[in-house]
Amino acid sequence: MTDGGLWTKKFPDQYLTAGRDDHALLSCTRSLSSCLPALWLCDISTAPIMFSSAVLQIALVVLVTGQQIYVPAEGPAARPACKHGCHQGEPSFKFGQFAYTMSTTVRTATPVPSPTATPTYAPPPEQATSLLTSPSYTTWGKWNPTATTKATDTNDPYGEAAWTALWEHADPPDFTDYTSVYSTTVSPTPIPSSELVLPPDNYFGPTDCYNFPEGFSFGVASSACQVEGATADHGKAPTLQDILVRDERPKDYVTNEVYYYYKQDIARLAAMGVKRFSFSLAWSRILPFALPGTPVNQAAIDHYNDVINFILEQGMIPDVTLLHFDTPLQFFGDNLTQAAEPPEIGYVNGGWANETFVDAFVNYAQVAMTHFADRVPVWFTFNEPLLYSSNGRSVYNVLQSHARVAHWYREELKATGQLAVRLNNNFGVPRDPHSEADVRAADNFNSFQLGPFANPIYLGEDYPESYKQTIHDHVPLTADDLAYMNGTADFIGVNPYTATVVTPPAPGDAGSILDCAHNTTSPFRPYCVNQTTVDIHGWDIGYRSQTYVYITPTYLRSYLNYVYDKWRHPIKITEFGFPVWDEASKPLPDQLHDLPRSIYLLSYLSEILKAVWEDGVEVTGAYLWSYADNWEFGDYDAHFGVQTVNRTTQERNFKKSFFDAVDFVKARGVQ
């Protein structure tokens, strides 16, 4: 047992209804508040079974124990409750007149209804921009490394020549090898009804009887560097993502060309009935020179205004992330090779430890919010900040940046929308939940991933010990820091793709966790645990994908309990998705019939409902990653999307999983 009852589940009292004569009637009422998991051989609503008090006590033990992990049991698995009662006796056989019949009901997707009104969440841009200090606006062109004509405005520190020099300094590899399909904004065309016919139903699927709470946000997500393309068009400056992939793997220069294709993509989402679209802005497109006092790119302001307005015109709602891994290169200075140096904490050095980063990020956020916050109800400052934190200073700078933006958003802009951070955490579960050492390892892993940001922001508390004892250069948080950071997010944004099995570095030895923390050369750093995907009985933790993701829905429910009990704020799942194994090599019809992804999405959504109704966890939204197959940081074969993308023509096709997920939430009350 760890904090918040990590390895046991809460069990609602209403599942057990007392009967007369010291008996208890165990029943499933099929209502939203008390639908019991299937534990019987027949439907007890048609064949009620009366239990003695002694049997009831045994049932209670079984029910509670059944929520734990690795519960010894014998015999076949319990059957779902039969809908038509218990069948007794022998079947009867007869001949009939055979006829071919349709085996599916043909339905089409229901589009998002046209908007009737557009709420506002901040003053309009013409009023809000007065909060900025004398901003200047200009435009730049498109970088062409083979151009023979050079810019002549060399005396302008922010002119075309200076902007071109940014790209020449970056020297992105193989840039001229990539060509795009589009060079201007694509006008949207109606989605043919033939594309919106729902696929055949799954034979097996969730059997829950819950609805999502009122106001639950369901949508799809993306990020600028993974879908926009047009990486050197209309004044955009180079970012970390333009230089990281230096081998033969695909680059981010073209991707899905959403910079030009956004209207058609948004129209497709609206036609499917998706209400929320979460996307990120490109900092280096809005402020090519990144730092305070440098010109704003008018073309970028116009572009993102049009994106947001078109989302609203389609009856949808935009959620915006300020930074999703595409840090401007200015924070690496003259030595860009440091971007590839191994970080102490995350996967990549995001440049956030730079002494100019906090002021620059806050300025960028202010520019973006003064122009767009009147129409955007939800803002995220950072996506998965731990993964691009290089050291303790990086973490501290993220916390300072987020807190300053939150205070400015609420106190200066006086905006009424919501603001949060999107945190990463592949939930760590102990290989043996009866092993104190394995449970300790799981707690160390989870607290390190979430706590450095969640503790100060949601609780006003210091970093967790797992972080402080491992990251020796962490910046101490003062009482003033904690008071300033506390309460600067309205909910917890998490990206819980999967679970991972953990043990201490030395199996069975909890002390080896601390040994690792003190040893800066340990291969188990920074989490100081051993991660695997195999449980104590030799089974994979779930069905495997193309990447690190496994289908682990029951662990998602445990994870939601863990996060909610520990940090005590509503939870919004800001990303979850599944790249089907070897999908990229399949013919298009097989890519579209992506049953493993449907199983992943529907099982996760079903476990969210159980966490809400059975455990009392406040989950307020869930966003599929991604709305279409995209660039996965040097990889096009990891298909996370619910639409295919033809890399030659940019044509999109809806996958079965997209229909299944939308149909699931619509059937359960999401508008």
Side-chain angles (χ1 to χ4, degrees):
M1 180 76 69
T2 60
D3 289 350
L6 178 56
W7 305 118
T8 58
K9 288 290 184 187
K10 305 167 189 172
F11 198 81
D13 295 336
Q14 63 265 32
Y15 282 166
L16 298 169
T17 306
R20 291 175 294 177
D21 302 323
D22 295 322
H23 290 80
L25 174 62
L26 199 58
S27 66
C28 175
T29 65
R30 313 299 291 176
S31 71
L32 294 181
S33 61
S34 56
C35 187
L36 189 62
L39 297 173
W40 312 275
L41 298 181
C42 60
D43 186 347
I44 55 178
S45 65
T46 58
I49 302 173
M50 305 301 289
F51 292 91
S52 69
S53 297
V55 174
L56 174 59
Q57 293 174 9
I58 294 173
L60 276 168
V61 172
V62 171
L63 288 169
V64 175
T65 305
Q67 298 291 337
Q68 297 177 354
I69 303 171
Y70 307 142
V71 179
E74 295 181 356
R79 294 167 54 191
C82 306
K83 292 184 177 180
H84 305 294
C86 299
H87 295 280
Q88 304 293 336
E90 296 295 327
S92 61
F93 305 99
K94 60 183 179 181
F95 295 106
Q97 185 66 39
F98 175 79
Y100 289 101
T101 58
M102 289 187 64
S103 59
T104 60
T105 300
V106 178
R107 296 182 293 139
T108 56
T110 303
V112 175
S114 299
T116 56
T118 301
T120 57
Y121 309 93
E126 55 270 20
Q127 179 181 341
T129 50
S130 65
L131 297 172
L132 302 177
T133 303
S134 303
S136 62
Y137 296 81
T138 188
T139 58
W140 295 267
K142 176 177 180 176
W143 182 57
N144 179 4
T146 63
T148 56
T149 302
K150 303 294 184 181
T152 59
D153 56 348
T154 54
N155 292 328
D156 185 347
Y158 306 118
E160 193 76 20
W163 177 80
T164 300
L166 296 176
W167 279 103
E168 292 172 344
H169 176 57
D171 189 24
D174 307 324
F175 187 84
T176 57
D177 292 349
Y178 290 78
T179 57
S180 58
V181 177
Y182 301 108
S183 58
T184 58
T185 300
V186 176
S187 297
T189 57
I191 313 304
S193 58
S194 59
E195 289 192 42
L196 299 173
V197 176
L198 270 68
D201 289 336
N202 300 316
Y203 189 75
F204 296 105
T207 57
D208 64 88
C209 53
Y210 299 125
N211 275 4
F212 287 99
E214 184 177 356
F216 187 89
S217 300
F218 174 78
V220 293
S222 71
S223 81
C225 67
Q226 294 177 265
V227 300
E228 270 194 0
T231 195
D233 292 10
H234 295 179
K236 180 184 172 293
T239 77
L240 175 61
Q241 298 303 331
D242 292 312
I243 66 169
L244 272 185
V245 181
R246 306 204 68 83
D247 53 23
E248 70 282 356
R249 291 176 297 156
K251 313 301 188 289
D252 72 331
Y253 309 148
V254 175
T255 64
N256 294 17
E257 296 195 66
V258 172
Y259 182 76
Y260 296 119
Y261 202 74
Y262 62 93
K263 289 188 176 182
Q264 188 65 31
D265 272 349
I266 293 166
R268 290 179 64 83
L269 298 178
M272 282 290 292
V274 174
K275 187 74 173 178
R276 314 281 300 220
F277 184 36
S278 177
F279 65 98
S280 72
L281 307 176
W283 182 349
S284 68
R285 195 180 292 281
I286 292 174
L287 287 164
F289 292 89
L291 302 178
T294 62
V296 178
N297 183 1
Q298 185 63 55
I301 298 299
D302 294 343
H303 170 74
Y304 288 122
N305 264 325
D306 202 41
V307 171
I308 292 168
N309 289 340
F310 193 74
I311 290 172
L312 296 171
E313 289 170 13
Q314 297 298 301
M316 298 171 63
I317 299 172
D319 294 352
V320 173
T321 299
L322 289 169
L323 186 57
H324 192 124
F325 297 159
D326 48 352
T327 311
L329 288 184
Q330 282 84 349
F331 302 106
F332 297 95
D334 294 332
N335 181 18
L336 297 183
T337 59
Q338 64 179 301
E341 294 175 357
E344 184 180 7
I345 299 177
Y347 297 151
V348 175
N349 174 8
W352 303 343
N354 187 287
E355 65 274 10
T356 66
F357 180 82
V358 175
D359 286 343
F361 181 85
V362 173
N363 174 72
Y364 156 58
Q366 291 172 351
V367 170
M369 288 175 164
T370 54
H371 286 90
F372 312 129
D374 60 321
R375 289 151 290 158
V376 174
V378 177
W379 289 86
F380 299 98
T381 49
F382 292 86
N383 175 73
E384 300 181 337
L386 192 74
L387 298 187
Y388 274 53
S389 292
S390 59
N391 54 24
R393 172 59 64 176
S394 294
V395 170
Y396 183 77
N397 282 357
V398 168
L399 287 167
Q400 284 286 352
S401 299
H402 168 82
R404 284 180 56 183
V405 169
H407 281 283
W408 181 87
Y409 177 77
R410 294 168 178 171
E411 297 161 13
E412 301 297 324
L413 187 59
K414 300 190 184 305
T416 59
Q418 292 187 314
L419 188 140
V421 182
R422 297 155 54 127
L423 301 175
N424 65 285
N425 184 206
N426 295 325
F427 190 44
V429 298
R431 186 168 184 267
D432 180 358
H434 303 297
S435 163
E436 182 179 345
D438 287 359
V439 171
R440 169 78 181 279
D443 195 50
N444 201 78
F445 179 81
N446 293 316
S447 63
F448 190 108
Q449 286 201 91
L450 295 171
F453 303 105
N455 280 13
I457 291 173
Y458 297 104
L459 301 177
E461 294 181 359
D462 198 7
Y463 307 121
E465 287 301 317
S466 57
Y467 174 79
K468 291 195 294 183
Q469 68 190 12
T470 307
I471 305 305
H472 305 147
D473 71 344
H474 70 269
V475 180
L477 296 174
T478 67
D480 287 343
D481 284 334
L482 293 173
Y484 188 71
M485 295 169 183
N486 187 25
T488 54
D490 297 291
F491 58 87
I492 304 173
V494 291
N495 299 345
Y497 280 86
T498 192
T500 184
V501 179
V502 298
T503 65
D509 180 8
S512 64
I513 298 173
L514 189 58
D515 293 341
C516 164
H518 292 161
N519 179 6
T520 58
T521 63
S522 171
F524 296 100
R525 293 174 65 88
Y527 305 125
C528 287
V529 300
N530 183 39
Q531 299 181 58
T532 180
T533 61
V534 179
D535 69 18
I536 195 172
H537 303 291
W539 286 98
D540 264 348
I541 196 170
Y543 182 82
R544 185 181 177 180
S545 73
Q546 177 79 9
T547 64
Y548 64 93
V549 182
Y550 287 70
I551 300 178
T552 56
T554 54
Y555 291 113
L556 171 67
R557 181 177 171 188
S558 294
Y559 171 77
L560 294 173
N561 275 268
Y562 172 78
V563 172
Y564 191 61
D565 289 344
K566 196 169 185 68
W567 288 288
R568 302 182 179 277
H569 276 69
I571 299 170
K572 199 181 293 286
I573 296 177
T574 43
E575 290 180 20
F576 71 115
F578 187 81
V580 175
W581 178 267
D582 203 29
E583 186 174 273
S585 68
K586 298 176 181 178
L588 180 60
D590 291 344
Q591 291 188 35
L592 300 183
H593 207 289
D594 57 337
L595 182 59
R597 184 176 291 108
S598 286
I599 294 172
Y600 173 94
L601 296 177
L602 300 192
S603 64
Y604 273 49
L605 289 167
S606 184
E607 290 300 308
I608 291 170
L609 285 169
K610 292 177 184 177
V612 169
W613 289 103
E614 297 179 17
D615 304 339
V617 177
E618 187 178 1
V619 184
T620 62
Y623 293 72
L624 311 184
W625 182 273
S626 167
Y627 86 95
D629 294 334
N630 52 234
W631 182 72
E632 282 293 328
F633 308 102
D635 187 6
Y636 279 131
D637 289 342
H639 286 189
F640 276 90
V642 289
Q643 296 182 81
T644 61
V645 177
N646 185 306
R647 295 294 160 198
T648 302
T649 65
Q650 292 293 358
E651 180 183 6
R652 278 67 153 149
N653 291 98
F654 297 121
K655 298 180 186 179
K656 171 179 168 58
S657 61
F658 200 177
F659 289 98
D660 287 346
V662 173
D663 197 48
F664 181 95
V665 298
K666 295 282 187 182
R668 289 159 179 79
V670 173
Q671 300 300 315

